[in-house]
Amino acid sequence: MARIFVVEDDAALRGELMRLLELQGHEALASTAFDRIADEALAADPDCVLLDLKLPGDGGHAVCRDLRSASDVPIVMLTSSDNEFDEVMSMNLGRTTT
């Protein structure tokens, strides 16, 4: 069982994602405090973060950057965007260097 932190501002979608994850035996966690969501996610010590790209405030790219600066937790970006720039930006933010 994996602990998965869901970062999604759409309450209905967040609830459905969490329900599906729990049905598969995972522990699904979330927060709606988007002004400090990276800290909330890190405090939960997840095995993976599902991160919506379009969030209120700074958006998913900023949250990804904050998560990546403090942790190498796997991040799966969720988006309905078909913008290639968003895709490339998300992949670059998720990279770690050694």
Side-chain angles (χ1 to χ4, degrees):
M1 168 171 61
R3 174 181 284 166
I4 302 173
F5 196 91
V6 179
V7 181
E8 170 60 61
D9 61 322
D10 180 305
L13 183 53
R14 181 178 57 247
E16 187 66 16
L17 285 168
M18 293 179 72
R19 187 179 74 77
L20 291 171
L21 290 167
E22 289 168 349
L23 284 172
Q24 294 300 313
H26 302 291
E27 180 182 0
L29 307 164
S31 174
T32 57
F34 294 106
D35 58 328
R36 58 182 189 275
I37 197 72
D39 292 335
E40 295 262 345
L42 292 170
D45 192 29
D47 297 306
C48 181
V49 175
L50 293 183
L51 176 60
D52 182 19
L53 184 61
K54 303 292 184 191
L55 294 172
D58 293 333
H61 287 136
V63 174
C64 183
R65 189 172 32 255
D66 292 346
L67 288 169
R68 191 51 65 228
S69 71
S71 173
D72 60 354
V73 63
I75 301 168
V76 177
M77 298 293 281
L78 306 173
T79 185
S80 60
S81 173
D82 60 358
N83 184 328
E84 196 171 297
F85 174 79
D86 285 337
E87 191 175 319
V88 172
M89 176 75 115
S90 298
M91 287 188 290
N92 286 330
L93 286 172
R95 289 192 177 150
T96 57
T97 58
T98 55

